[in-house]
Amino acid sequence: MKPINDRVVVKAAPAEEKTSGGIIIPDTAKEKPQRGEVVAVGPGKDGNAMTVSVGDTVLYGKYAGQEVTLEGKDYLIMREDDILVIV
């Protein structure tokens, strides 16, 4: 998968299975993860270089990106502007 312009492909981290107190969270109550690993980066837009690179762990907005499934794996495709911070 090769994104174009300022797009980034992110593999979302798995949702939490337990709370810190040990309570198991059912599937219906799990929150959408807001953390993931960058797996592909586009070349940039209008001559601006990309800030993120492959392998970076990033935090992004709750409703950022478009969900895509490829070869049985789930990914998010988003603009670099949707990424809040590199961890």
Side-chain angles (χ1 to χ4, degrees):
M1 200 174 349
K2 184 177 179 182
I4 60 172
N5 293 331
D6 62 341
R7 302 285 200 272
V8 177
V9 180
V10 176
K11 182 179 179 188
E16 295 292 323
E17 299 287 330
K18 285 186 185 180
T19 64
S20 58
I23 298 171
I24 297 174
I25 302 170
D27 289 338
T28 56
K30 289 181 186 172
E31 289 192 29
K32 182 178 174 183
Q34 297 173 320
R35 179 185 201 132
E37 179 182 350
V38 176
V39 294
V41 177
K45 189 173 183 180
D46 299 329
N48 296 327
M50 298 291 278
T51 306
V52 296
S53 57
V54 174
D56 286 346
T57 300
V58 295
L59 298 178
Y60 48 86
K62 192 170 196 168
Y63 301 105
Q66 176 68 39
E67 295 178 359
V68 178
T69 302
L70 182 67
E71 297 177 4
K73 296 181 182 178
D74 294 328
Y75 299 99
L76 286 168
I77 299 174
M78 64 183 72
R79 291 185 182 275
E80 186 180 36
D81 291 343
D82 292 335
I83 295 174
L84 305 174
V85 67
I86 300 172
V87 181

